[in-house]
Every structure is written in structure tokens, then in C-alpha cells.
Amino acid sequence: MITCFIRYEIDPFNVPAFEQYARTWNAAIPRCGAELIGYFAPHEGSATTAYGVYSIADLAAYEAYRARLKDDPLGHENYAFARAERFIRREDRLFLRKVPA
């Protein structure tokens, strides 16, 4: 199992749009095959940093998941929403594995 950490740099004046974006992924991501851990919006400290975190079996499963997400009507709509509203300034993905105890 690997976990994808998405670090977003967002517009600090448009956090509500990011929160709407995150709520939409709450439905689409699990439906497309990943285990959603959650989305995290700014609260204290940085007003421009947000995160999305989910787990998936491996990188091959990730590629299949991304294809399903791109073709998913809700996913497609959410990508279009983010492009139109332009509240995401930067998005970086990092894949990590949990170290066994």
C-alpha cells in the first residue's frame, strides 16, 4: 500500500472554492478506487497550504485509478471547476509507504 500526499498552494482569498473542490473529491475518489484519508484546508499558520491524502495498492493501481477519475463525470466536472476558478496555484504529489512497526 502506498499513500499519495498532494500538497496544494491555493489562493488564500478563495479557500471556500478549495473546500468545495475537496468535498467533491470525497465522493469521486473512493468510487474510482482509492482509499481517501481526507482533504485538509488552511486553518492556522499558512493560509496558502492545503493537502489531499489517499492510499492505493501500488503505482499500477494508481495509474488505473487516475484514468477512471479522469473519465468519471464528477471528477471531470471538478477538474473543470478548478480550472475555471483558478484557486489552485500549484499542486505537488508525493508517494510514501508506511514503515512497518
Side-chain angles (χ1 to χ4, degrees), residues 9-11 14 17 80-89:
E9 181 183 322
I10 62 171
D11 178 348
N14 209 351
F81 171 68
R83 277 192 304 276
E85 296 297 319
R86 304 181 62 88
F87 53 87
I88 298 173
R89 295 180 175 169

Side-chain angles (χ1 to χ4, degrees), residues 1-2 6 12 22 52 54 61 65 85 88-89 92 99:
M1 183 71 75
I2 57 174
I6 308 169
Y54 61 88
Y65 152 78
E85 296 297 319
I88 298 173
R89 295 180 175 169
D92 297 307
V99 176

Side-chain angles (χ1 to χ4, degrees), residues 97-101:
R97 60 180 173 77
K98 186 175 181 181
V99 176

